[in-house]
Amino acid sequence: DAGITQSPRHKVTETGTPVTLRCHQTENHRYMYWYRQDPGHGLRLIHYSYGVKDTDKGEVSDGYSVSRSKTEDFLLTLESATSSQTSVYFCAIKGSVLDNSPLHFGNGTRLTVT
Amino acid sequence: SQQGEEDPQALSIQEGENATMNCSYKTSINNLQWYRQNSGRGLVHLILIRSNEREKHSGRLRVTLDTSKKSSSLLITASRAADTASYFCATPQGGSEKLVFGKGTKLTVNP
């Protein structure tokens, strides 16, 4: 799995509570991504990072924030979880800005907001 | 917004048959990538085809790209039960650092 660890793998939380998902990589890759996967929508980009402290929004960033204080860790935070954020969240990494550099994915975090 | 759209959404075939999945996209691209996802796992990169290529092979996989029609196809020959998975096409959006995925084709290969 290209040295990517997502934690936790499963989480159940209540509406309104804060939640932080962690992505840890051992590849020293510059680019890191958070996607969510939902039935009927495929994968949608939430946020991505192109270096320490450098992040940008994806297409579904509302309700999410991210932080990258170290190369190896990319955190996704739901400040106040809602039921619409129930999803499977995938972290991915990319070693190069070159467009032929593929993404490598973690195995996902299944989040349920009740 | 979704860039690539796969067709069909689901495909069920017998072992040994060929499986063809199609992807259409909206804007000009430098390359198109195909990924595979087994149930409960992350996506795995299969193959990349550049905009100046028309066809590419990798083992039992054959990918074609028609930039005039903004479409690509993934052919898996002599399918096996282990090929059962969802398959996604993906294209760079804006700068090459962002990859946009389609909704996927769920392939079931029956033994």
Side-chain angles (χ1 to χ4, degrees), chain B residues 49-84:
Chain B
I49 186 165
R50 293 191 172 281
S51 58
N52 62 354
E53 298 175 306
R54 290 297 168 258
E55 188 171 310
K56 198 164 182 179
H57 296 254
S58 176
R60 294 184 295 111
L61 304 181
R62 176 188 154 214
V63 169
T64 62
L65 180 64
D66 187 336
T67 54
S68 66
K69 295 181 179 179
K70 290 187 170 59
S71 68
S72 173
S73 68
L74 171 67
L75 169 67
I76 303 173
T77 60
S79 64
R80 306 166 181 168
D83 294 327
T84 294

mmCIF file of all heavy atoms in Angstrom, chain B residues 49-84:
data_model
loop_
_atom_site.group_PDB
_atom_site.id
_atom_site.type_symbol
_atom_site.label_atom_id
_atom_site.label_comp_id
_atom_site.label_asym_id
_atom_site.label_seq_id
_atom_site.Cartn_x
_atom_site.Cartn_y
_atom_site.Cartn_z
ATOM 1 N N ILE B 49 -2.358 6.521 -20.097
ATOM 2 C CA ILE B 49 -2.185 6.744 -21.525
ATOM 3 C C ILE B 49 -2.104 8.248 -21.759
ATOM 4 O O ILE B 49 -2.896 9.026 -21.213
ATOM 5 C CB ILE B 49 -3.323 6.081 -22.340
ATOM 6 C CG1 ILE B 49 -3.031 6.201 -23.843
ATOM 7 C CG2 ILE B 49 -4.690 6.634 -21.978
ATOM 8 C CD1 ILE B 49 -3.898 5.284 -24.698
ATOM 9 N N ARG B 50 -1.110 8.647 -22.535
ATOM 10 C CA ARG B 50 -0.916 10.073 -22.805
ATOM 11 C C ARG B 50 -1.782 10.514 -23.980
ATOM 12 O O ARG B 50 -2.211 9.705 -24.797
ATOM 13 C CB ARG B 50 0.555 10.334 -23.118
ATOM 14 C CG ARG B 50 1.472 10.115 -21.933
ATOM 15 C CD ARG B 50 2.862 10.634 -22.237
ATOM 16 N NE ARG B 50 3.707 10.606 -21.065
ATOM 17 C CZ ARG B 50 3.669 11.512 -20.102
ATOM 18 N NH1 ARG B 50 2.802 12.510 -20.167
ATOM 19 N NH2 ARG B 50 4.475 11.439 -19.072
ATOM 20 N N SER B 51 -1.967 11.815 -24.072
ATOM 21 C CA SER B 51 -2.859 12.346 -25.102
ATOM 22 C C SER B 51 -2.329 12.109 -26.509
ATOM 23 O O SER B 51 -3.103 12.117 -27.471
ATOM 24 C CB SER B 51 -3.070 13.847 -24.880
ATOM 25 O OG SER B 51 -1.838 14.532 -24.909
ATOM 26 N N ASN B 52 -1.038 11.880 -26.652
ATOM 27 C CA ASN B 52 -0.484 11.619 -27.984
ATOM 28 C C ASN B 52 -0.401 10.116 -28.297
ATOM 29 O O ASN B 52 0.150 9.725 -29.313
ATOM 30 C CB ASN B 52 0.899 12.250 -28.141
ATOM 31 C CG ASN B 52 1.909 11.693 -27.168
ATOM 32 O OD1 ASN B 52 1.557 10.901 -26.292
ATOM 33 N ND2 ASN B 52 3.156 12.094 -27.301
ATOM 34 N N GLU B 53 -0.952 9.297 -27.411
ATOM 35 C CA GLU B 53 -1.009 7.862 -27.648
ATOM 36 C C GLU B 53 -2.432 7.445 -27.984
ATOM 37 O O GLU B 53 -3.393 8.019 -27.469
ATOM 38 C CB GLU B 53 -0.529 7.097 -26.406
ATOM 39 C CG GLU B 53 0.918 7.394 -26.039
ATOM 40 C CD GLU B 53 1.329 6.709 -24.745
ATOM 41 O OE1 GLU B 53 0.634 6.893 -23.718
ATOM 42 O OE2 GLU B 53 2.355 6.000 -24.761
ATOM 43 N N ARG B 54 -2.552 6.447 -28.800
ATOM 44 C CA ARG B 54 -3.891 5.974 -29.196
ATOM 45 C C ARG B 54 -4.231 4.644 -28.522
ATOM 46 O O ARG B 54 -5.396 4.327 -28.298
ATOM 47 C CB ARG B 54 -3.974 5.817 -30.715
ATOM 48 C CG ARG B 54 -3.950 7.125 -31.444
ATOM 49 C CD ARG B 54 -5.165 7.978 -31.073
ATOM 50 N NE ARG B 54 -5.026 9.347 -31.541
ATOM 51 C CZ ARG B 54 -4.684 10.346 -30.739
ATOM 52 N NH1 ARG B 54 -4.464 10.126 -29.451
ATOM 53 N NH2 ARG B 54 -4.583 11.563 -31.225
ATOM 54 N N GLU B 55 -3.197 3.895 -28.208
ATOM 55 C CA GLU B 55 -3.428 2.584 -27.609
ATOM 56 C C GLU B 55 -2.226 2.218 -26.747
ATOM 57 O O GLU B 55 -1.093 2.568 -27.059
ATOM 58 C CB GLU B 55 -3.618 1.536 -28.720
ATOM 59 C CG GLU B 55 -4.048 0.174 -28.248
ATOM 60 C CD GLU B 55 -4.425 -0.722 -29.409
ATOM 61 O OE1 GLU B 55 -5.214 -0.281 -30.267
ATOM 62 O OE2 GLU B 55 -3.925 -1.858 -29.457
ATOM 63 N N LYS B 56 -2.524 1.491 -25.670
ATOM 64 C CA LYS B 56 -1.459 1.050 -24.787
ATOM 65 C C LYS B 56 -1.838 -0.288 -24.183
ATOM 66 O O LYS B 56 -3.012 -0.533 -23.887
ATOM 67 C CB LYS B 56 -1.225 2.079 -23.681
ATOM 68 C CG LYS B 56 0.101 1.950 -22.974
ATOM 69 C CD LYS B 56 0.395 3.215 -22.201
ATOM 70 C CE LYS B 56 1.750 3.115 -21.523
ATOM 71 N NZ LYS B 56 2.066 4.353 -20.781
ATOM 72 N N HIS B 57 -0.845 -1.148 -24.002
ATOM 73 C CA HIS B 57 -1.094 -2.486 -23.477
ATOM 74 C C HIS B 57 -0.288 -2.693 -22.207
ATOM 75 O O HIS B 57 0.824 -2.185 -22.055
ATOM 76 C CB HIS B 57 -0.671 -3.546 -24.503
ATOM 77 C CG HIS B 57 -1.458 -3.515 -25.759
ATOM 78 N ND1 HIS B 57 -2.420 -4.464 -26.059
ATOM 79 C CD2 HIS B 57 -1.440 -2.660 -26.808
ATOM 80 C CE1 HIS B 57 -2.946 -4.185 -27.244
ATOM 81 N NE2 HIS B 57 -2.373 -3.101 -27.713
ATOM 82 N N SER B 58 -0.886 -3.480 -21.305
ATOM 83 C CA SER B 58 -0.169 -3.909 -20.112
ATOM 84 C C SER B 58 -0.752 -5.248 -19.701
ATOM 85 O O SER B 58 -1.853 -5.322 -19.150
ATOM 86 C CB SER B 58 -0.323 -2.892 -18.980
ATOM 87 O OG SER B 58 0.309 -3.363 -17.805
ATOM 88 N N GLY B 59 -0.042 -6.318 -19.999
ATOM 89 C CA GLY B 59 -0.547 -7.653 -19.704
ATOM 90 C C GLY B 59 -1.865 -7.902 -20.414
ATOM 91 O O GLY B 59 -1.954 -7.786 -21.640
ATOM 92 N N ARG B 60 -2.912 -8.209 -19.646
ATOM 93 C CA ARG B 60 -4.228 -8.457 -20.247
ATOM 94 C C ARG B 60 -5.050 -7.188 -20.412
ATOM 95 O O ARG B 60 -6.214 -7.235 -20.797
ATOM 96 C CB ARG B 60 -4.999 -9.459 -19.380
ATOM 97 C CG ARG B 60 -4.394 -10.853 -19.349
ATOM 98 C CD ARG B 60 -5.258 -11.844 -18.543
ATOM 99 N NE ARG B 60 -5.314 -11.477 -17.131
ATOM 100 C CZ ARG B 60 -6.411 -11.033 -16.528
ATOM 101 N NH1 ARG B 60 -7.543 -10.897 -17.191
ATOM 102 N NH2 ARG B 60 -6.375 -10.747 -15.239
ATOM 103 N N LEU B 61 -4.450 -6.050 -20.121
ATOM 104 C CA LEU B 61 -5.153 -4.781 -20.244
ATOM 105 C C LEU B 61 -4.788 -4.096 -21.554
ATOM 106 O O LEU B 61 -3.630 -4.076 -21.954
ATOM 107 C CB LEU B 61 -4.771 -3.851 -19.087
ATOM 108 C CG LEU B 61 -4.981 -4.343 -17.672
ATOM 109 C CD1 LEU B 61 -4.574 -3.271 -16.680
ATOM 110 C CD2 LEU B 61 -6.415 -4.772 -17.445
ATOM 111 N N ARG B 62 -5.821 -3.537 -22.173
ATOM 112 C CA ARG B 62 -5.593 -2.718 -23.362
ATOM 113 C C ARG B 62 -6.414 -1.441 -23.191
ATOM 114 O O ARG B 62 -7.623 -1.493 -22.961
ATOM 115 C CB ARG B 62 -6.015 -3.461 -24.618
ATOM 116 C CG ARG B 62 -5.890 -2.621 -25.888
ATOM 117 C CD ARG B 62 -6.508 -3.337 -27.072
ATOM 118 N NE ARG B 62 -6.954 -2.379 -28.073
ATOM 119 C CZ ARG B 62 -8.028 -2.534 -28.846
ATOM 120 N NH1 ARG B 62 -8.755 -3.612 -28.744
ATOM 121 N NH2 ARG B 62 -8.343 -1.618 -29.725
ATOM 122 N N VAL B 63 -5.750 -0.312 -23.307
ATOM 123 C CA VAL B 63 -6.424 0.973 -23.175
ATOM 124 C C VAL B 63 -6.315 1.715 -24.494
ATOM 125 O O VAL B 63 -5.266 1.723 -25.120
ATOM 126 C CB VAL B 63 -5.790 1.806 -22.046
ATOM 127 C CG1 VAL B 63 -6.307 3.236 -22.077
ATOM 128 C CG2 VAL B 63 -6.073 1.177 -20.699
ATOM 129 N N THR B 64 -7.423 2.313 -24.901
ATOM 130 C CA THR B 64 -7.415 3.166 -26.073
ATOM 131 C C THR B 64 -7.841 4.577 -25.668
ATOM 132 O O THR B 64 -8.530 4.771 -24.662
ATOM 133 C CB THR B 64 -8.349 2.644 -27.167
ATOM 134 O OG1 THR B 64 -9.697 2.644 -26.663
ATOM 135 C CG2 THR B 64 -7.970 1.238 -27.597
ATOM 136 N N LEU B 65 -7.423 5.530 -26.458
ATOM 137 C CA LEU B 65 -7.776 6.924 -26.208
ATOM 138 C C LEU B 65 -8.104 7.585 -27.527
ATOM 139 O O LEU B 65 -7.320 7.514 -28.485
ATOM 140 C CB LEU B 65 -6.620 7.663 -25.532
ATOM 141 C CG LEU B 65 -6.855 9.138 -25.206
ATOM 142 C CD1 LEU B 65 -7.972 9.302 -24.187
ATOM 143 C CD2 LEU B 65 -5.571 9.788 -24.690
ATOM 144 N N ASP B 66 -9.265 8.211 -27.580
ATOM 145 C CA ASP B 66 -9.685 8.971 -28.754
ATOM 146 C C ASP B 66 -9.925 10.407 -28.299
ATOM 147 O O ASP B 66 -10.981 10.728 -27.761
ATOM 148 C CB ASP B 66 -10.953 8.359 -29.349
ATOM 149 C CG ASP B 66 -11.357 9.006 -30.668
ATOM 150 O OD1 ASP B 66 -10.978 10.183 -30.916
ATOM 151 O OD2 ASP B 66 -12.061 8.359 -31.444
ATOM 152 N N THR B 67 -8.954 11.259 -28.517
ATOM 153 C CA THR B 67 -9.064 12.636 -28.034
ATOM 154 C C THR B 67 -10.097 13.435 -28.813
ATOM 155 O O THR B 67 -10.654 14.388 -28.284
ATOM 156 C CB THR B 67 -7.702 13.347 -28.088
ATOM 157 O OG1 THR B 67 -7.172 13.235 -29.416
ATOM 158 C CG2 THR B 67 -6.730 12.727 -27.101
ATOM 159 N N SER B 68 -10.364 13.027 -30.057
ATOM 160 C CA SER B 68 -11.371 13.760 -30.834
ATOM 161 C C SER B 68 -12.770 13.524 -30.274
ATOM 162 O O SER B 68 -13.637 14.398 -30.343
ATOM 163 C CB SER B 68 -11.315 13.339 -32.303
ATOM 164 O OG SER B 68 -11.714 11.983 -32.456
ATOM 165 N N LYS B 69 -12.981 12.343 -29.707
ATOM 166 C CA LYS B 69 -14.275 12.021 -29.105
ATOM 167 C C LYS B 69 -14.258 12.190 -27.586
ATOM 168 O O LYS B 69 -15.266 11.965 -26.923
ATOM 169 C CB LYS B 69 -14.670 10.582 -29.445
ATOM 170 C CG LYS B 69 -14.910 10.332 -30.918
ATOM 171 C CD LYS B 69 -15.327 8.890 -31.175
ATOM 172 C CE LYS B 69 -15.577 8.661 -32.659
ATOM 173 N NZ LYS B 69 -15.951 7.254 -32.942
ATOM 174 N N LYS B 70 -13.086 12.548 -27.057
ATOM 175 C CA LYS B 70 -12.926 12.689 -25.611
ATOM 176 C C LYS B 70 -13.402 11.411 -24.910
ATOM 177 O O LYS B 70 -14.273 11.449 -24.021
ATOM 178 C CB LYS B 70 -13.670 13.916 -25.085
ATOM 179 C CG LYS B 70 -13.052 15.243 -25.505
ATOM 180 C CD LYS B 70 -13.729 16.426 -24.824
ATOM 181 C CE LYS B 70 -12.970 17.713 -25.059
ATOM 182 N NZ LYS B 70 -12.826 18.070 -26.481
ATOM 183 N N SER B 71 -12.852 10.310 -25.331
ATOM 184 C CA SER B 71 -13.253 9.038 -24.734
ATOM 185 C C SER B 71 -12.080 8.075 -24.682
ATOM 186 O O SER B 71 -11.120 8.171 -25.461
ATOM 187 C CB SER B 71 -14.407 8.419 -25.509
ATOM 188 O OG SER B 71 -13.969 8.017 -26.793
ATOM 189 N N SER B 72 -12.179 7.136 -23.747
ATOM 190 C CA SER B 72 -11.177 6.100 -23.571
ATOM 191 C C SER B 72 -11.898 4.803 -23.268
ATOM 192 O O SER B 72 -13.025 4.798 -22.775
ATOM 193 C CB SER B 72 -10.247 6.458 -22.413
ATOM 194 O OG SER B 72 -9.357 5.396 -22.116
ATOM 195 N N SER B 73 -11.246 3.689 -23.582
ATOM 196 C CA SER B 73 -11.810 2.403 -23.211
ATOM 197 C C SER B 73 -10.743 1.544 -22.574
ATOM 198 O O SER B 73 -9.548 1.660 -22.893
ATOM 199 C CB SER B 73 -12.398 1.693 -24.431
ATOM 200 O OG SER B 73 -11.358 1.321 -25.316
ATOM 201 N N LEU B 74 -11.181 0.717 -21.643
ATOM 202 C CA LEU B 74 -10.320 -0.260 -20.983
ATOM 203 C C LEU B 74 -10.856 -1.634 -21.317
ATOM 204 O O LEU B 74 -12.021 -1.928 -21.029
ATOM 205 C CB LEU B 74 -10.316 -0.046 -19.470
ATOM 206 C CG LEU B 74 -9.627 -1.131 -18.628
ATOM 207 C CD1 LEU B 74 -8.128 -1.150 -18.882
ATOM 208 C CD2 LEU B 74 -9.906 -0.931 -17.137
ATOM 209 N N LEU B 75 -10.025 -2.442 -21.918
ATOM 210 C CA LEU B 75 -10.384 -3.814 -22.259
ATOM 211 C C LEU B 75 -9.571 -4.761 -21.398
ATOM 212 O O LEU B 75 -8.344 -4.648 -21.335
ATOM 213 C CB LEU B 75 -10.106 -4.085 -23.741
ATOM 214 C CG LEU B 75 -10.177 -5.542 -24.205
ATOM 215 C CD1 LEU B 75 -11.601 -6.067 -24.113
ATOM 216 C CD2 LEU B 75 -9.629 -5.693 -25.608
ATOM 217 N N ILE B 76 -10.261 -5.663 -20.724
ATOM 218 C CA ILE B 76 -9.591 -6.730 -19.978
ATOM 219 C C ILE B 76 -9.876 -8.018 -20.737
ATOM 220 O O ILE B 76 -11.043 -8.416 -20.891
ATOM 221 C CB ILE B 76 -10.119 -6.840 -18.541
ATOM 222 C CG1 ILE B 76 -9.968 -5.507 -17.812
ATOM 223 C CG2 ILE B 76 -9.383 -7.942 -17.781
ATOM 224 C CD1 ILE B 76 -10.610 -5.483 -16.434
ATOM 225 N N THR B 77 -8.856 -8.655 -21.222
ATOM 226 C CA THR B 77 -9.046 -9.882 -21.991
ATOM 227 C C THR B 77 -8.973 -11.097 -21.085
ATOM 228 O O THR B 77 -8.335 -11.078 -20.024
ATOM 229 C CB THR B 77 -7.983 -10.002 -23.089
ATOM 230 O OG1 THR B 77 -6.682 -10.037 -22.478
ATOM 231 C CG2 THR B 77 -8.051 -8.836 -24.058
ATOM 232 N N ALA B 78 -9.661 -12.151 -21.514
ATOM 233 C CA ALA B 78 -9.631 -13.436 -20.797
ATOM 234 C C ALA B 78 -9.817 -13.224 -19.302
ATOM 235 O O ALA B 78 -8.956 -13.584 -18.486
ATOM 236 C CB ALA B 78 -8.324 -14.167 -21.087
ATOM 237 N N SER B 79 -10.926 -12.630 -18.943
ATOM 238 C CA SER B 79 -11.138 -12.211 -17.556
ATOM 239 C C SER B 79 -11.127 -13.393 -16.595
ATOM 240 O O SER B 79 -11.433 -14.543 -16.957
ATOM 241 C CB SER B 79 -12.457 -11.454 -17.447
ATOM 242 O OG SER B 79 -13.530 -12.310 -17.770
ATOM 243 N N ARG B 80 -10.797 -13.073 -15.365
ATOM 244 C CA ARG B 80 -10.733 -14.058 -14.279
ATOM 245 C C ARG B 80 -11.602 -13.567 -13.134
ATOM 246 O O ARG B 80 -11.868 -12.367 -13.005
ATOM 247 C CB ARG B 80 -9.284 -14.195 -13.792
ATOM 248 C CG ARG B 80 -8.290 -14.516 -14.881
ATOM 249 C CD ARG B 80 -6.881 -14.290 -14.409
ATOM 250 N NE ARG B 80 -5.894 -14.580 -15.461
ATOM 251 C CZ ARG B 80 -4.616 -14.246 -15.395
ATOM 252 N NH1 ARG B 80 -4.150 -13.619 -14.308
ATOM 253 N NH2 ARG B 80 -3.796 -14.526 -16.404
ATOM 254 N N ALA B 81 -11.995 -14.468 -12.278
ATOM 255 C CA ALA B 81 -12.814 -14.085 -11.124
ATOM 256 C C ALA B 81 -12.098 -13.025 -10.292
ATOM 257 O O ALA B 81 -12.728 -12.132 -9.716
ATOM 258 C CB ALA B 81 -13.131 -15.314 -10.276
ATOM 259 N N ALA B 82 -10.775 -13.090 -10.263
ATOM 260 C CA ALA B 82 -9.993 -12.125 -9.487
ATOM 261 C C ALA B 82 -10.029 -10.720 -10.072
ATOM 262 O O ALA B 82 -9.598 -9.756 -9.422
ATOM 263 C CB ALA B 82 -8.541 -12.595 -9.384
ATOM 264 N N ASP B 83 -10.545 -10.580 -11.298
ATOM 265 C CA ASP B 83 -10.684 -9.245 -11.893
ATOM 266 C C ASP B 83 -11.907 -8.515 -11.369
ATOM 267 O O ASP B 83 -12.118 -7.336 -11.681
ATOM 268 C CB ASP B 83 -10.774 -9.340 -13.423
ATOM 269 C CG ASP B 83 -9.496 -9.853 -14.056
ATOM 270 O OD1 ASP B 83 -8.404 -9.566 -13.525
ATOM 271 O OD2 ASP B 83 -9.584 -10.556 -15.096
ATOM 272 N N THR B 84 -12.742 -9.217 -10.619
ATOM 273 C CA THR B 84 -13.921 -8.593 -10.024
ATOM 274 C C THR B 84 -13.499 -7.417 -9.163
ATOM 275 O O THR B 84 -12.726 -7.566 -8.210
ATOM 276 C CB THR B 84 -14.704 -9.612 -9.187
ATOM 277 O OG1 THR B 84 -15.244 -10.610 -10.045
ATOM 278 C CG2 THR B 84 -15.835 -8.935 -8.413
#
